[in-house]
Amino acid sequence: TARINKDTHESDLSDNKALHFPTVTTPCTWHAVDMTQARSQLVSADTPGTYHCVQRCVRRAFLCGVDRYSGQDFEHRKAWVEQRLALVAGCFAAAVHAYAVMSNHLHVVVHLDPGAPLTWTDSEVAERWVRLYPPRESSEAARTAQIERLLANPERLAVLRQRLGSLSWLMKCLVEPIARRANVEDGCKGRFWEGRFKAQRLCDERAVLAAMVYVDLNPVRAGITERLETSHHTSVAARLQSSSKELDARLRPVAGTLAMCLPIRTGEYLQLVAWTGRQAHPGKRGKLSEDAPEILKRWDASSERWQRRVKAIGSGYWRVVGEVQDLKAWAERIGQRWLKGLGVAAALSRPA
């Protein structure tokens, strides 16, 4: 008989990785792989890393937007995801660099440091976990009692400390409460999200920046909007609300507890996103390089190459994004001779 975990209100069977079956999807560049591989090969349990994660709704149904067939409007659920993402990032050892909540899937670019929770006190670990999974009785006394129960259980605290630096647990804590809430609203049971999320390891700052731009431009590529100002439920929309002082400061994460600034100013990043988006617009005129922002010269040899680099996040790379030597090193590390994206990385490394 399965036991119910009082912290997460779930069966202990939910931790059994053998129950996670690979999902069958329609042919798509992003999903075209031969078999499911252990994520532990890609995500280290003890070293920091930055990842581009994609979580899709089951059957790619429009469960977070307007369903074109039934006409039902689930747009409000996108705000649920944003709110939950902010909470989860604030509890985990994480920095969210970019996100986009689409009608049938979710993108997140996130940095995790598994070593950070080791520096937290027992009280910090317990308080963070209770913020993620509060008791059913919504009172300060109930929360305090739950924290005290955790503090009295060192073995349990050690498990939670490890989870608060885990990518798999971050995504689990992000999407499962959304699924339960949506099922209650729909009066049904069953999966809301696909069983596994997709993850790319981003090996350097240029790969991180390209993934961020790719994610922030999702609504533009999908034809939902032509303006960043109306690109709702994305990190770029949140950054457009920045003050003039923030625009001149280094680019900070939009959520999370880690201070992971990138070597580009917020205003420069917004210019780069806007310019990159204009290049993909079917009505654009002129050469790619004509109005390229000055900051682009620091990140790529040519504007055409930058466009290809951003596009490759979705259709060129698969498990690892970086330079040729990065992909070769990771292929050797996980016991493979080749990783998808080696050809793209080689082409992007040739002299302009």
Side-chain angles (χ1 to χ4, degrees):
T1 303
R3 298 188 304 273
I4 300 300
N5 189 315
K6 294 182 179 180
D7 295 323
T8 63
H9 316 308
E10 299 167 8
S11 164
D12 57 3
L13 293 179
S14 63
D15 284 344
N16 189 342
K17 295 182 179 179
L19 297 179
H20 290 182
F21 297 102
T23 53
V24 178
T25 58
T26 57
C28 175
T29 304
W30 175 262
H31 297 271
V33 291
D34 294 328
M35 64 182 69
T36 300
Q37 295 172 307
R39 188 168 289 117
S40 58
Q41 292 183 332
L42 182 69
V43 181
S44 174
D46 53 12
T47 58
T50 306
Y51 308 92
H52 168 215
C53 303
V54 182
Q55 178 73 70
R56 293 189 177 275
C57 295
V58 290
R59 303 177 306 282
R60 302 192 197 178
F62 278 66
L63 303 183
C64 287
V66 178
D67 190 322
R68 67 185 68 178
Y69 299 108
S70 68
Q72 289 183 279
D73 187 355
F74 303 109
E75 195 74 16
H76 59 282
R77 293 177 180 171
K78 294 182 179 180
W80 295 358
V81 178
E82 281 190 289
Q83 293 162 8
R84 183 68 186 179
L85 178 60
L87 172 63
V88 169
C91 294
F92 275 72
V96 175
H97 290 298
Y99 68 86
V101 186
M102 305 297 287
S103 294
N104 60 0
H105 66 283
L106 163 70
H107 289 266
V108 181
V109 176
V110 59
H111 178 90
L112 273 102
D113 183 358
L118 300 178
T119 67
W120 299 344
T121 66
D122 289 351
S123 294
E124 285 180 291
V125 172
E127 289 168 2
R128 288 168 185 258
W129 195 257
V130 172
R131 284 173 59 195
L132 286 169
Y133 293 104
R136 288 189 174 90
E137 181 186 339
S138 181
S139 69
E140 191 60 34
R143 285 189 289 271
T144 300
Q146 186 166 331
I147 290 172
E148 290 175 349
R149 283 195 298 272
L150 290 175
L151 291 175
N153 189 342
E155 292 182 358
R156 178 65 177 164
L157 272 180
V159 172
L160 300 183
R161 192 183 298 275
Q162 183 273 331
R163 288 180 180 177
L164 290 172
S166 163
L167 179 65
S168 292
W169 270 92
L170 181 145
M171 293 299 292
K172 176 187 179 76
C173 292
L174 170 61
V175 302
E176 285 194 355
I178 302 298
R180 289 195 293 269
R181 188 173 178 182
N183 283 348
V184 169
E185 184 179 65
D186 290 341
C188 68
K189 297 180 180 180
R191 284 193 180 275
F192 182 86
W193 305 99
E194 288 184 351
R196 284 177 59 88
F197 65 90
K198 313 303 185 290
Q200 290 176 318
R201 189 176 187 99
L202 308 174
C203 293
D204 54 37
E205 289 177 336
R206 184 161 60 181
V208 173
L209 191 67
M212 291 172 62
V213 173
Y214 176 85
V215 168
D216 275 331
L217 288 176
N218 251 252
V220 175
R221 283 195 306 276
I224 296 173
T225 181
E226 294 183 359
R227 301 178 58 194
L228 296 182
E229 292 83 357
T230 55
S231 186
H232 303 303
H233 309 293
T234 63
S235 50
V236 72
R239 285 194 167 104
L240 284 170
Q241 306 302 316
S242 302
S243 65
S244 56
K245 183 177 180 180
E246 291 170 328
L247 290 174
D248 200 42
R250 290 183 63 181
L251 188 65
R252 297 176 57 84
V254 290
T257 59
L258 302 179
M260 297 291 300
C261 295
L262 294 175
I264 181 174
R265 299 182 189 278
T266 302
E268 293 172 333
Y269 173 75
L270 292 175
Q271 291 174 12
L272 185 60
V273 176
W275 176 84
T276 306
R278 287 197 297 272
Q279 311 319 302
H281 196 285
K284 179 194 171 295
R285 299 177 181 178
K287 297 180 180 179
L288 290 176
S289 59
E290 282 186 353
D291 60 344
E294 188 69 20
I295 189 63
L296 183 58
K297 296 178 181 178
R298 285 174 45 193
W299 292 95
D300 230 321
S302 70
S303 55
E304 291 87 350
R305 183 169 294 186
W306 171 252
Q307 287 292 316
R308 185 175 180 182
R309 192 180 303 279
V310 172
K311 183 179 179 181
I313 298 296
S315 59
Y317 297 101
W318 176 243
R319 304 183 72 196
V320 180
V321 181
E323 304 300 320
V324 172
Q325 61 270 24
D326 296 320
L327 272 69
K328 287 183 176 179
W330 273 98
E332 182 178 356
R333 181 172 178 173
I334 63 180
Q336 295 184 192
R337 296 183 179 180
W338 177 86
L339 279 176
K340 181 178 179 180
L342 266 171
V344 173
L348 291 174
S349 65
R350 298 188 188 109

